Amino acid sequence: MKLFESEGWKSFWPNFLAVILGIVITFGGERLITNCQKRQDAREIVGLFKIDVERHLKISEGLLDDYTAGMSALRQCAAASGRGELDKVHEDTLRCALNSFFSVHGKIRSALPLPDG
């Protein structure tokens, strides 16, 4: 058997096809790996987006709960004031009602003018 001696076109075509097949596998494999990496990156981005949306949703729900509690406290204070029983309203209810008017920085949230007095 002659391993290193050329037999003409008979030995050229298998080698040529092996080289072509190697190139196709290399580029195809590279493309497959790139596509898999892009899909993984997209999954990570979607996952991060989902976490961010869930976090913002929890914050929004907390703000809504605070607003609802403040409005409920304001209603209770208004009803008690109408009956002349504002002094009987619980301290936490009064605090919650006042917090609905004042932000964390102490600025007045209401657009209504304060009464003179």
Side-chain angles (χ1 to χ4, degrees), residues 3-113:
L3 292 177
F4 297 106
E5 292 183 21
S6 175
E7 296 179 13
W9 288 103
K10 289 181 183 180
S11 65
F12 173 76
W13 284 111
N15 291 335
F16 178 75
L17 292 176
V19 169
I20 297 298
L21 184 62
I23 292 171
V24 169
I25 290 173
T26 300
F27 287 119
E30 180 184 1
R31 189 172 193 173
L32 180 66
I33 290 169
T34 302
N35 287 341
C36 289
Q37 287 173 341
K38 286 181 181 179
R39 286 184 189 138
Q40 181 63 31
D41 291 345
R43 275 191 228 105
E44 288 176 14
I45 290 169
V46 168
L48 291 173
F49 181 72
K50 181 181 176 185
I51 290 169
D52 200 37
V53 167
E54 288 173 352
R55 184 175 61 87
H56 284 289
L57 179 62
K58 287 180 183 178
I59 290 169
S60 298
E61 287 172 344
L63 291 173
L64 185 59
D65 290 343
D66 291 346
Y67 177 77
T68 304
M71 291 298 105
S72 176
L74 281 173
R75 279 191 212 99
Q76 289 177 17
C77 290
S81 177
R83 295 187 307 266
E85 300 174 347
L86 192 57
D87 57 336
K88 294 181 181 178
V89 176
H90 193 273
E91 179 183 338
D92 290 338
T93 304
L94 287 172
R95 184 177 292 118
C96 188
L98 286 174
N99 282 340
S100 67
F101 282 106
F102 296 98
S103 69
V104 176
H105 303 292
K107 296 179 182 175
I108 297 174
R109 288 188 191 171
S110 176
L112 299 174

